[in-house]
Amino acid sequence: MLRIGLTGGIGAGKSTVSKVLSELGAVIVDADLIAREVVERGTPGLATLIDRFGEEILAADGALDRQALAARAFADDESRLALNSIVHPLVGARTMEIIESVPEDAVLVQDIPLLVEGGMGAAFHLVLIVCVEAEERVRRLVGSRGMLETDARSRIAAQSDDDQRRAAADVLLDNNGAPGSLESEIRALWSERLVPFESNIRTRTVVTALPALAPANPQWPEQARRLIGRLELVCGDRALRIDHIGSTAVDGLPARDVIDIQITVAGLGTADDLAESLTAAGFPQIENITADDPKPAYQGGETDPALWGKRIHGAADPARPANIHLRVAEWPGQRFALLFRDWLRADAEARAEYSTINKGAADKASACSSVEGAIEAYVDAKAPWFDLAYRRAWHWAEQTGWSL
């Protein structure tokens, strides 16, 4: 299934987003609702809260008085951590029960208030964050929920700030406008990204991007960081290292809007063992590519095709094309991917030259009538330059003392 993490600061309007997604067909798992369920009257969860915070957190009927609990639990960091240590495991266990009952072709949206604070973003195919300015959230909490202003500000201060949320967001939904103003954006997100994403994972379809150059995007490194976080979770200690490589890893360089990531493994057997897990995480394998093109020998042995073997996966996300290269540690392809990136970062002349070569290749590709033909023309146009660049980059490495 496609798993979406939905979050935002208190008062941002997550419930509005989840309501629209539910109407469109998403399965919603609301952590707030589950958090209420696991501390209902008579539950072990409520008993534990009473032991920690006292009977003053109860209403006259014996149920939990949530405002009274909030006043105590958000008074200081120790109390907040105590609350989380009680409620989070209970919510997690109940959440897994619900997820296990969901159909495999579902779009599952988990509404989690503290997703960013808990560092949970990597567990989802995408993270949606609803963003509203802090002062507007205070106004809404006081006006709509009847919360005391001091309590509202205390709750907001205890959560991540807007910059931290933006860094975690694959999709940022600005909800500062009038009620209902987000609905068309949510519907477009559903039809243009979420539904195709789920289908692509299920059918093992890789999103293919045309080889057209885009201006350098300052968001590429952050997007790569989020992809790497998901890959680290999938690979665990089977990945020796995971790096952002390619043109999008070089500041200021125009490039195809495709994020290239390299996973370094101990052997191709490990890469093969990871194939199904990577596919489930949203990165289907491209099975007809099993090696890089060998480069001219420089340090001996590089022309042996066996040493250029690799596996490659692509992205199923229609809005974020990516190539995930799995290469063996110390093999020439693995080393050159890192060297080439660092060489371009350090050498302005090489960077400018490569930019010109890239543009010429993209221009040739634009004349092709098919995506496959365009990509082939683009790669072929750059190949002669790369053969020379391989030697030049290693010469730079020797001069500068570069190493992995």
Side-chain angles (χ1 to χ4, degrees), residues 324-337:
I324 314 300
H325 309 262
L326 291 94
R327 295 187 175 105
V328 177
E330 298 298 329
W331 282 14
Q334 184 262 352
R335 300 176 72 202
F336 183 55

Side-chain angles (χ1 to χ4, degrees), residues 40-208:
E40 287 179 346
R41 187 166 43 188
T43 61
L46 180 57
T48 306
L49 287 178
I50 294 170
D51 287 343
R52 172 60 177 82
F53 294 103
E55 294 193 357
E56 292 82 1
I57 65 172
L58 297 178
D61 63 357
L64 178 65
D65 182 333
R66 298 184 68 83
Q67 287 196 3
L69 174 63
R72 289 174 172 267
F74 292 94
D76 54 71
D77 287 344
E78 181 182 351
S79 297
R80 177 173 54 83
L81 291 173
L83 173 65
N84 291 342
S85 69
I86 294 168
V87 175
H88 285 182
L90 298 172
V91 172
R94 178 61 182 139
T95 298
M96 289 310 301
E97 290 179 7
I98 297 171
I99 291 173
E100 288 171 0
S101 69
V102 173
E104 291 185 358
D105 62 350
V107 175
L108 177 73
V109 178
Q110 290 181 241
D111 182 338
I112 305 176
L114 299 180
L115 184 150
V116 175
E117 291 82 353
M120 293 178 275
F124 299 94
H125 294 99
L126 285 177
V127 172
L128 314 186
I129 293 188
V130 189
C131 186
V132 175
E133 295 296 332
E135 289 303 315
E136 174 62 15
R137 286 191 280 139
V138 170
R139 188 189 69 77
R140 294 179 185 182
L141 291 170
V142 172
S144 302
R145 299 195 194 180
M147 190 178 292
L148 294 174
E149 182 176 341
T150 54
D151 288 345
R153 292 190 183 279
S154 177
R155 295 283 293 274
I156 288 172
Q159 296 182 336
S160 294
D161 61 30
D162 289 343
D163 288 341
Q164 291 169 319
R165 290 195 187 92
R166 289 190 184 96
D170 297 294
V171 178
L172 192 65
L173 299 169
D174 186 340
N175 197 27
N176 283 289
S181 60
L182 259 186
E183 184 167 344
S184 61
E185 184 177 348
I186 298 166
R187 291 181 176 277
L189 173 68
W190 173 262
S191 62
E192 296 171 14
R193 188 170 188 180
L194 303 188
V195 171
F197 197 169
E198 185 283 320
S199 176
N200 288 344
I201 293 175
R202 183 162 33 86
T203 59
R204 300 169 179 259
T205 300
V206 171
V207 174
T208 303

